[in-house]
């Protein structure tokens, strides 16, 4: 994770623990971040990162997340994705 001015760059292949740390870092600073860039050099390890990015976008619609805005095409690489909500 790299924070440069108003832009934050994260890796696509974050572990669950890294996603938790990212959320703890970004939630209090959400008003100051304008763009979240995703370095797509790796492989998506879990869906929690996608869920968090979508949640951040819904919380602050003017937030730019090019990775989501382009559309996430994961079906070819990962097969069928099944989203499960645990209560």
């Amino acid at each position: 994770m790299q924070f440069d001015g108003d832009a934050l760059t994260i890796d696509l292949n974050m572990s669950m623990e890294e996603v938790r740390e990212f959320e703890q870092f970004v939630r209090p600073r959400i008003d100051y971040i304008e763009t979240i860039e995703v370095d797509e050099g790796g492989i998506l390890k879990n869906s929690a990162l996608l869920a968090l990015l979508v949640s951040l976008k819904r919380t602050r619609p003017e937030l730019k997340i090019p990775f989501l805005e382009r559309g996430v095409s994961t079906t070819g690489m990962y097969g069928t994705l099944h989203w499960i909500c645990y209560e």
Side-chain angles (χ1 to χ4, degrees):
M1 178 171 46
Q2 296 176 343
F3 192 58
D4 182 26
D6 298 337
L8 180 64
T9 304
I10 59 172
D11 291 326
L12 183 62
N13 59 352
M14 296 172 85
S15 68
M16 190 60 202
E17 183 60 35
E18 290 171 324
V19 172
R20 285 187 192 116
E21 290 172 9
F22 170 60
E23 181 179 20
Q24 290 174 354
F25 176 82
V26 78
R27 288 284 182 193
R29 297 167 179 85
I30 192 70
D31 292 331
Y32 307 109
I33 299 171
E34 291 185 15
T35 306
I36 297 178
E37 291 283 343
V38 179
D39 181 13
E40 301 177 44
I43 306 172
L44 181 65
K45 286 188 176 179
N46 60 58
S47 62
L49 179 59
L50 288 179
L52 177 58
L53 291 174
V54 169
S55 173
L56 293 172
K57 183 69 173 176
R58 286 187 178 164
T59 300
R60 189 165 170 253
E62 61 274 7
L63 180 66
K64 296 175 193 158
I65 307 175
F67 178 72
L68 293 179
E69 293 165 4
R70 274 193 307 275
V72 182
S73 175
T74 59
T75 55
M77 180 183 284
Y78 299 105
T80 303
L81 298 178
H82 297 280
W83 295 83
I84 300 171
C85 176
Y86 294 101
E87 294 181 21

